[in-house]
Amino acid sequence: MKMTEIVGCAVVALVASGCSLIPDYFRPEAPVPVAWPDGPAYRGAPAPGPVAAPAAGRSWRQTFTDPRLQHLIDQALTNNRDLRVAVLSVEAARASHGVTESALLPRLDAGASETAKRTPKDLSGTVPPRAVTGRRYDVTLGVASYELDLFGRVRSLEAEALEQYLATDEAQVSVRIALVAEVANSYLTLVAGRETLAVVENTVAARQKSHDLISRSFQRGIGSQLDVAQARTALETARAARERTLRQIAQDENALTLLLGAPLNRSQDLDGATLDDIALVGDVPVGLPSEVILRRPDIRQAEHQLKAANANIGAARAAFFPSISLTGTVGTASAKLGDLFASGSGAWSFAPQISVPVFDYGRNESALEEAKANQKIAVARYEKAIQSAFREVADALAARGTLTNQLAAQKALVDAARLNVRLALARYEHGVDSYLATLDAQRSLFSAQEDEITVRAGRLANLVTLYKVLGGDGQE
């Protein structure tokens, strides 16, 4: 058997006999109740039915069925720079894991060299003295300092790198889900702002008409200057609200453009859009145990980071044991280039090295304690991620259970406010009340209309939130 075969067999045998010092992994118990909260705020939601667990993760296309919104989300998923960075981070983590994984196998290097040396005649030792020029040619194939992973140090580091890569991949999924939700919410906010602008424009027109009417009446000696001043105040207040709304719409458009990563086509994506026309799936399944949140990508990311910290303990433990590395080469050597591959020119070297920690001033002990502390920190972060997710879902369910009834009450309030305006204006025109009562009724109507738009948008935004907090596409 050749020397290279002997060395190869020895390496395989030693690696196969290696052990792992990584502690056994046990997923921590979820520090949240098994069921979602219950109470008056939650009972307004549709009664949850028996739903299979995989159905908790609707795709965004199944949730956001509005064509305009789907077009905007497609744009964002293609052009958004934050998502692009997240995807590239996954590629970088994958490459980093590949670098760490490659350390499990010996690296073979091939080399060729020529060495020329001239010795002056005074030092050559030849008789008679003369200068000597010598040459050496080498062709080698060798292993440079390969560590035999007898105690699992390299495998522990590889396991840590793998978990970090998987955590980065889950982080990318979280970014993707958050981006989809942000685009949907930004679109809802923008459409709601444009509806609010329409209400404000109608209010400005109505108050302008009232101001002109009262001014003409005053000029004919009917009414008072106070009525004119009050009508002018109401008109300017509405005009100020219009400018404020215009500014907010422009800023909302800029925010949506940033999310899209591309220019916003107003005529295609916004003109004619109303909150009532936006199609979102309203039957987001919530009849599931709270453990469904364990499949959220941010929680899976936290668990991978916990596993990485667990693997790092194995690497820290392995530092207490001897480290064995091998260096060896096999090839040919000759003083003449023509004889490099001639019979008898074979050459080899084998240099095993062992390093045993004797006294390091507590460095290894401190490193192990640090690894254990980091693992406990990772456990706490994992549990906190679960608790935060539970709170987010509970908040969304509470909103889902109350927004429908709130919207019904808000619509009734708008109807009552409209009637109040008509009655107050009739009483003013017949001289029963002052114009102040009409102004109060108009302000109440304007506020109620704004609040109705806010609640309608909030009801749709709650469906977006449920998509996000239940894991979105990340549970598929």
Side-chain angles (χ1 to χ4, degrees), residues 117-126 128-135:
K117 179 179 179 182
R118 180 183 184 279
T119 304
K121 64 181 181 178
D122 294 341
L123 301 176
S124 66
T126 60
R130 59 184 176 85
V132 176
T133 300
R135 295 181 181 275

Side-chain angles (χ1 to χ4, degrees), residues 60-61 66-80 179-180 183-184 186-188 190-191 256-257 259-266 268-270 273:
W60 66 266
R61 290 189 183 276
D66 183 80
R68 295 186 182 187
L69 184 52
Q70 286 189 349
H71 172 67
L72 293 174
I73 293 174
D74 274 328
Q75 276 189 284
L77 293 177
T78 302
N79 301 311
N80 183 268
L179 175 61
V180 171
V183 171
S186 183
Y187 179 68
L188 293 175
L190 188 52
V191 173
L256 182 56
T257 300
L259 290 173
L260 298 182
L264 177 65
N265 189 333
R266 294 180 179 84
Q268 176 183 353
D269 299 321
L270 295 176

Side-chain angles (χ1 to χ4, degrees), residues 49 57 87 120-121 127 130 165 183 192 223 268 280 324 370 408 425 448:
V87 172
K121 64 181 181 178
V127 180
R130 59 184 176 85
Y165 156 59
V183 171
Q268 176 183 353
L280 299 182
I324 301 175
E370 180 185 13
L425 186 58

